[in-house]
Amino acid sequence: MTLGPIGKVWFVGAGPGDPELITLKGQKLLAQAGAVLFAGSLVDRAATLYAPPGCVIRDSKDMTLEEMTAWLIEQTRAHATVVRLQTGDPGLYGALIEMARPLSAEGIEWAVVPGVSSAMASMAAAGESMTLPEVTQSVIFTRVEGRTPMPEGEDLAGLAAHRTTLCIFLSITLMYKVEAALRAAGWPEDAPMLVVHKASWPGEEKILRGTLADIKQRCREAGVASQAMIVASPTLGALHWETLVRSKLYDPTFTHRFRKASA
Ligand code: SAH
């Protein structure tokens, strides 16, 4: 007789690094987990702080995808709650579907708990907003081509032509490509740029501000060559602008469902 699977696999977003930026739901699941597989490269091991004594904890940094899914499947035979802990949000550059398919094929239940993406944490660290009225109302999460090819129609120069907020993942070692793309899209040399290294990591976060012309140099000077978010956005630095279009929602002359205009 073979025993069927008993456990469920939870893909939990660990958040960007600060162990306090995991969701309550993620923390609760960790607290009842029998096994946790965590992404060693970026998830602060501290996130596994929440796992109970006796929990099987494994770093996935030296494992292939096949090994990871085999490990998760094996753990569901022994534990009701198995957690795959991923950096930021599991649905962004997280191989979520690749890992979930073999689970579904085995009839193993799985679910996702979202996490605070490093894009959000980076903007928060810098005290910046992704959107501003009449400046930009859209955000693009993207990357430049490294060993993973970019699908047709998604080259950064084309996306940058929209002049929206661009959160560029996985590209800090390819800053020259980011710069070339922004220039090709007509962004001026003084366009503000932001690089955040290890956003939210206690004691390790670095916030670098510069322009299209000098951001690469700033990264070099600061020794930032990994684990960083690049943001190019027309909203950057708005705290110090002389004029700012107000949000309609909070404008005293604007009536909406919950408030009548006062003037
Ligand atoms: N799922 C993750 C992204 C994984 S891809 C998320 O939602 O954030 C890995 C890339 O994310 C890194 O190359 C870097 O660009 C970014 N990243 C992850 N954690 C980061 C952090 N704490 N600070 C800055 N960038 C981070």
Side-chain angles (χ1 to χ4, degrees), residues 16 42 87-89 92 117-118 169-170 196 198-199 201 227-229:
L42 280 177
T87 63
D89 181 80
L92 283 169
S117 174
S118 57
F169 292 72
L170 296 160
V196 182
K198 291 197 166 181
W201 282 51
Q227 301 180 348
M229 177 66 49

Side-chain angles (χ1 to χ4, degrees), residues 12 23 28 71 80 93 108 121 161 165-166 177 223 228 236 244 250:
V12 174
T23 62
K28 276 189 197 161
W71 193 89
Y93 311 103
I108 294 167
T165 294
L166 299 164
K177 286 193 184 181
L236 293 175
L244 194 67
Y250 305 116

